[in-house]
Every structure is written in C-alpha cells, then in structure tokens.
Amino acid sequence: MSDDQASGKKLLFVVSGPSGVGKSTLCRHILETVRDIRLSVSYTTRASRPTETDGKEYRFISLEEFEKKKSEHAFAEWAEVHGHLYGTPWSELEQDAHNYTDILLDIDVQGAHQVMGTLKRAVSIFVMPPSLEVLWQRLSGRGTDSLDQQQRRFQKAQEEMKHYPEYQYTIRNVALEQAVWELKAVIMAERVRTAHIDPAHIFR
Ligand code: 5GP
C-alpha cells in the first residue's frame, strides 16, 4: 500500500463507451501511470485477438463454461455484446479489508447499469468519440473485424452513446493525452472526496 492511498477506501471505476472510442487504450494508460489501481479481468466467450493474452485482457472460455459460471452466480454482472458473452466475476471485485487498490472496469452500458444498481459506490465514466464520423473511421480501420461486424458495431455504438446521461462523468476522446489527463483527474478527485476517506485512517 502506498502512502497517498493509505487513507482511502477501495473505489470501483466503471468505464463504458462504444467500440472504437479508445477505451482500452485509455485504460491501459491509466494502469501504466496511476498507482494503486488494477483492471478487473472479465470472462468472455469471444475468441482472443492476436495481440491478447489469456488472463491479461480477458479470460477466454467456452459458452458452456460461461453458462456454468452464470448458474453458479459467479458474475457481478454479465451481458451479451456483439453476439458474445462477457462477465465480471465477483472474485475480481473482492479484496481483503487492508488492500486499498482501486479497480477499473471496462464494461458495456448493460453491465455498467447492473453494477451501478448493485454497487452504489461505483464511479461511472462514459467515453465519447469526437464525432460519429471519426468513430466510423476508427471502426472501419480495424483490421480484425469484417465489414458486417464494423457496421453492427457502429450501429450499436450509436445506441450506446444515448446512455451517457446515466454516467457521473463524460469524457470526449478527441486527443488521447487530454482524455487520459481527464480520466486521471476524475480518479484523483474521487480518491480525496471526504466520503471516500476511511475514518479509521484519518488520525494516524
Ligand atoms: P471487445 O470484444 O472489443 O474487447 O469488447 C466489446 C465490449 O464488451 C466493450 O464495450 C467492452 O467494454 C465490453 N466488455 C468487456 N468486458 C465486459 C464485461 O465483463 N461485462 C460487460 N457487460 N461488458 C464487457
């Protein structure tokens, strides 16, 4: 535990936004440059991409394994996104009382809605693209998806963007550096909110 976090309570930061908005890049920068925060690693039934490692970005499992976990109530939330299942296991959100590491969840709007309902202390952030035109350029520029997939993701993106008012913060990712800076500012401000300070650690 580092000293600047020693007086805080554990916080959950829920980051949502449409595919292609740069959410994973944003989250990666946060994980690399902010102390005491880790990514919640979800389970998914989608196939891994060449750049991904099982257990790092996701835990890749079969549909049967996912259904089994669902029936065992292993998920804090789960959703079907672009035809695949994704879920946050409770085990990723559990920590012992003396561990002050915050948790970053990169999940879609359906999952975020469930998390905001059950975990009242979750801090929610929506990442918006600079414009629909730029979003389409980013989605269609991805070498990993077919044209049909790109069009479905673009359609879904526009639906998802309508949900931004349900989030506490909205960050427009025009330039990555600025967006990272804004997300860091949210994390830092939430950490020093009086309500988020553990009274047991105030006088020491
Ligand atoms: P991708 O397959 O491109 O990595 O992610 C597709 C979408 O699924 C993204 O919007 C991502 O935030 C979302 N996602 C990733 N993990 C989870 C999860 O555990 N639960 C939910 N609800 N969405 C997730």
Side-chain angles (χ1 to χ4, degrees):
M1 177 175 36
S2 67
D3 208 43
D4 55 350
Q5 261 291 79
S7 57
K9 293 176 185 172
K10 177 188 79 182
L11 296 173
L12 282 185
F13 294 96
V14 176
V15 181
S16 295
S19 294
V21 80
K23 243 178 333 156
S24 354
T25 312
L26 200 54
C27 289
R28 203 178 58 241
H29 278 265
I30 293 298
L31 295 166
E32 283 168 4
T33 56
V34 175
R35 280 155 46 154
D36 303 314
I37 192 158
R38 67 172 174 84
L39 184 73
S40 160
V41 182
S42 301
Y43 283 98
T44 183
T45 61
R46 107 155 143 66
S48 67
R49 295 179 181 137
T51 53
E52 293 172 329
T53 313
D54 188 31
K56 188 165 175 251
E57 290 85 3
Y58 289 105
R59 294 193 177 90
F60 299 95
I61 57 172
S62 67
L63 185 58
E64 292 70 32
E65 287 171 303
F66 196 98
E67 292 296 344
K68 184 163 180 284
K69 288 193 179 291
K70 232 169 76 181
S71 68
E72 292 165 353
H73 305 286
F75 296 122
E77 64 74 33
W78 69 271
E80 183 176 336
V81 188
H82 310 303
H84 303 291
L85 300 178
Y86 296 81
T88 305
W90 280 111
S91 56
E92 279 294 300
L93 308 184
E94 285 159 6
Q95 276 179 345
D96 70 72
H98 304 293
N99 186 333
Y100 289 93
T101 304
D102 293 334
I103 303 170
L104 194 58
L105 280 83
D106 170 352
I107 59 177
D108 88 317
V109 292
Q110 307 166 75
H113 192 77
Q114 295 170 51
V115 170
M116 289 182 224
T118 30
L119 303 164
K120 301 288 178 208
R121 286 234 323 262
V123 177
S124 55
I125 303 129
F126 196 89
V127 185
M128 278 284 199
S131 65
L132 286 176
E133 197 187 332
V134 172
L135 183 66
W136 171 249
Q137 282 165 9
R138 288 184 190 167
L139 284 175
S140 54
R142 269 187 182 175
T144 50
D145 298 334
S146 67
L147 179 63
D148 180 51
Q149 274 175 326
Q150 290 164 5
Q151 282 166 343
R152 274 191 287 132
R153 280 178 188 258
F154 188 53
Q155 198 60 43
K156 174 107 194 307
Q158 293 176 68
E159 285 304 312
E160 286 194 319
M161 282 161 63
K162 293 183 188 153
H163 290 271
Y164 86 89
E166 296 158 23
Y167 289 72
Q168 291 163 309
Y169 296 93
T170 303
I171 293 176
R172 197 180 281 280
N173 188 9
V174 178
L176 181 67
E177 200 184 338
Q178 173 73 11
V180 169
W181 195 85
E182 288 174 3
L183 184 49
K184 271 188 196 172
V186 168
I187 294 170
M188 297 309 165
E190 288 290 335
R191 282 181 173 179
V192 295
R193 275 173 75 141
T194 304
H196 292 163
I197 307 278
D198 187 343
H201 290 264
I202 281 288
F203 300 104
R204 59 188 174 124

